[in-house]
């Protein structure tokens, strides 16, 4: 359904952040994009959602296809209408709005009142925690609640492809599990595709079928979730837990991969 | 007359004018919140709205109930047009350029309209009885009363609007632009609408004030009052702008009368500028500046 073909992304007309990435997400599929800080994961998602423009970024090469159609020229809101939604890194809830208003703000593509009410109802059954804080200011919700709100808000657009940028960032493991379970459930129940960006590879690999590993703006490895999990390099550097990462080796690993590529 | 009633009378008419200031200031706040741009063309838009209404009424001979809505709503499109033609090209330019642009518009319109319609002050009669209302020992000007009431109604409508779906999206844009894009809100369109609504607020204020003092270029001096109110109110909440409008209106009406007794005269027009200066120096975020929500 979504297909990137050898895309390059340049920031400020000079900085080449993505150096030829190809990837694919099938209809109803769940795919993870793994990699360390600065690898180009967020940039890849922005290239898909159209949020590069406000940051003076541009796709300078390659094709961005959704259902076989190149949509590079469409604005971000038009892509949301196509069914592509992007939950930004760092949640970005509308802090001065209530959770309910946050959800309402994401309904510009819907016409009927009844439909919107139905969607709010559905999102609140996915995230019952939000119900208790529905009239608080969203800025005062906890990190986990804000993440749930950001995902719920994205679901209000009735996406065919949900892209999540590091939803586990800064959250306690139990919360991460809760959120990932809900994502997996929506993916299963509605056949909405998921493209999940994570540094937390363990959590991500538990809910996707396929994963790509990205380093330095390039895909350095890809395979089924099981293959990735059992790969010794992935195990060593991405599944070892943050405390055990040996940066000298990470650098070496990157050097080797670049050399191979 | 009893000192208390004198003060009350001055305060009441001041507060009524203050409501009109609030209405115009809402346009500045709205544009600032949506796009971070200081709309310094708001005074000129008030003047243009009053001229348009006068033209419909006098030149085209339209009845009041046609001329006023026509003049005021035409300003919705003038506001949107200004955004579309001038401001949208300025995206990414330094803030000072944008300020110069809106200020340039203000000055240009100040010259253009009187040139088009003639420099003589126009009478804009919106059919309000000239006889004052008598409350006990106090006289309240009927025009002020109507102006204050209409302004208050429009302010309440603005509050209601911000709770509609479109209003919520406008507030979302003022909160976080990338997040707005990411959930399908057209930020450009929202900013355009904020300019359109600013045009309506300005025109309504311009017509109300124009019916009291006549229509000429001096209507655009309402910019200073609206700016003072917006800055004092903290460029954020409608409540803040409302309170600030009342404060400025009352202060402007009361202070000169008492200062005159001490031999200080001509202070009326200085009050707004003093409010701007004092706010910027002592309370830069205004009385009700936005609390930044830090928690993540
Ligand atoms: N707005 C921007 N302008 C210039 N460079 C950027 C911008 N955003 C990201 N970059 C650069 O692009 C590279 C990839 O960043 P990013 O996609 O955010 O990585 P990740 O999400 O994997 O941590 C980094 O080197 C980063 O410094
Ligand atoms: Mg990132």
């Amino acid at each position: 359904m979504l297909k990137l073909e050898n895309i390059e992304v340049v920031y400020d007309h000079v900085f080449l952040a993505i150096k030829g990435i190809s990837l694919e997400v099938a209809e109803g599929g769940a795919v993870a994009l793994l990699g360390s800080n600065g690898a180009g994961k967020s940039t890849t998602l922005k290239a898909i959602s159209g949020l590069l423009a406000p940051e003076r970024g541009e796709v300078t090469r390659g094709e961005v296809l959704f259902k076989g159609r190149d949509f590079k020229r469409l604005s971000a809101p038009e892509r949301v209408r196509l069914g592509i939604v992007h939950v930004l890194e760092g949640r970005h809830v509308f802090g001065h709005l209530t959770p309910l208003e946050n959800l309402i703000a994401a309904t510009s593509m819907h016409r009927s009142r009844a439909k919107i009410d139905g969607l709010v109802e559905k999102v609140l059954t996915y995230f019952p925690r939000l119900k208790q804080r529905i009239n608080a200011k969203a800025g005062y919700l906890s990190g986990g609640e804000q993440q749930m709100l950001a995902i719920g808000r994205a679901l209000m657009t009735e996406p065919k492809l949900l892209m999540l940028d590091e939803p586990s960032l800064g959250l306690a493991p139990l919360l991460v599990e809760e959120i990932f379970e809900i994502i997996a459930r929506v993916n299963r129940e509605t056949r909405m595709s998921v493209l999940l960006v994570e540094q937390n590879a363990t959590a991500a690999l538990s809910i996707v079928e396929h994963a790509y590993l990205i380093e330095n703006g390039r895909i350095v490895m890809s395979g089924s979730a099981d293959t990735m999990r059992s790969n010794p390099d992935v195990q060593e550097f991405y599944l070892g837990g943050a405390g055990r990462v040996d940066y000298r080796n990470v650098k070496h690993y990157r050097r080797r991969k670049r050399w191979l590529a | 007359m009893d000192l208390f009633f004198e003060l009350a009378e001055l305060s009441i008419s001041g507060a009524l004018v203050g409501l009109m200031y609030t209405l115009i200031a809402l346009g500045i706040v709205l544009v600032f919140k949506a796009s971070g741009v200081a709309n310094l063309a708001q005074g000129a838009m008030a003047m243009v709205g009053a001229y348009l209404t006068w033209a419909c009424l006098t030149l085209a001979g339209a009845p009041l109930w046609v001329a006023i809505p026509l003049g005021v709503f035409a300003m919705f499109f003038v506001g949107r047009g200004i955004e579309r033609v001038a401001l949208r090209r300025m995206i990414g330019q330094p803030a000072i350029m944008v300020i110069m642009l809106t200020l340039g518009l203000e000055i240009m319109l100040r010259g253009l309209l009187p040139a088009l319609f003639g420099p003589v002050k126009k009478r804009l009669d919106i059919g309000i009885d000239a006889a004052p209302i008598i409350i006990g020992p106090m006289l309240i000007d009927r025009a002020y009363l109507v102006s204050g009431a209409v302004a208050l109604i429009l302010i309440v409508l603005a509050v209601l609007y911000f709770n509609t779906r479109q209003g919520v999206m406008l507030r979302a844009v003022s909160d976080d632009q990338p997040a707005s894009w990411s959930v399908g809100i057209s930020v450009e369109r929202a900013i355009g609408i904020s300019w359109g609504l600013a045009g309506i607020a300005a025109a309504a204020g311009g017509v109300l004030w124009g019916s009291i003092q006549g229509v000429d270029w001096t209507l655009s001096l309402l910019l200073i009052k609206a700016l003072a109110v917006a800055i004092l109110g903290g460029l954020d909440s409608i409540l803040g702008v409302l309170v600030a409008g009342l404060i400025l209106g009352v202060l402007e009406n009361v202070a000169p009368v008492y200062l005159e007794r001490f031999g200080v005269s001509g202070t009326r027009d200085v009050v707004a500028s003093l409010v701007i200066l004092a706010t910027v120096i002592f309370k830069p975020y205004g009385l009700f500046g936005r609390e930044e929500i830090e928690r993540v």
Side-chain angles (χ1 to χ4, degrees), chain A residues 9-11 42-59 64 71-72 74-80 84-89 91-92 153 163 165, chain B residues 176-188:
Chain A
V9 174
V10 173
Y11 281 114
S42 300
T43 303
T44 307
L45 291 198
K46 285 175 194 162
I48 301 168
S49 64
L51 290 174
L52 281 176
E55 296 190 25
R56 296 180 317 284
E58 199 187 348
V59 178
V64 193
F71 59 93
K72 266 205 304 284
L74 298 187
S75 71
E78 285 167 333
R79 297 184 199 202
V80 174
I84 300 170
V85 75
H86 181 174
V87 180
L88 298 168
E89 183 175 347
R91 329 192 211 291
H92 281 267
R153 187 177 65 182
M163 303 195 292
D165 199 345
Chain B
D176 191 327
Q177 290 198 0
S180 302
W181 267 304
S182 81
V183 295
I185 300 172
S186 166
V187 171
E188 294 84 352

Side-chain angles (χ1 to χ4, degrees), chain A residues 7-8 35 39 50 55 75 81 92 96 114 122 144 156 163 170 179 245:
Chain A
I7 65 160
E8 276 183 10
E55 296 190 25
S75 71
R81 276 161 185 73
H92 281 267
H96 294 86
K122 199 159 99 189
M156 292 296 293
M163 303 195 292
I179 289 175
V245 176

Side-chain angles (χ1 to χ4, degrees), chain B residues 186-258:
Chain B
S186 166
V187 171
E188 294 84 352
R189 186 162 166 268
I191 293 173
I193 289 176
S194 76
W195 273 91
L197 294 176
I200 289 187
V207 169
L208 292 173
W209 196 234
S211 78
I212 292 170
Q213 66 128 56
V215 178
D216 65 357
W217 75 271
T218 57
L219 274 183
S220 70
L221 294 179
L222 281 168
L223 171 67
I224 309 292
K225 322 278 182 173
L227 212 53
V229 169
I231 291 172
L232 181 63
L235 281 169
D236 197 52
S237 68
I238 293 189
L239 181 69
V241 191
L242 181 60
V243 173
L246 294 175
I247 290 177
L248 180 66
V250 171
L251 216 54
E252 228 184 33
N253 227 23
V254 172
V257 174
Y258 289 92

Side-chain angles (χ1 to χ4, degrees), chain A residues 133-146:
Chain A
R133 309 288 309 270
I134 201 75
N135 289 316
K137 267 190 185 177
Y140 293 122
L141 300 183
S142 72
E145 289 164 339
Q146 289 194 5

Side-chain angles (χ1 to χ4, degrees), chain A residues 37 41-42 89 165-166 197:
Chain A
N37 233 337
K41 306 180 298 295
S42 300
E89 183 175 347
D165 199 345
E166 305 208 27
V197 157

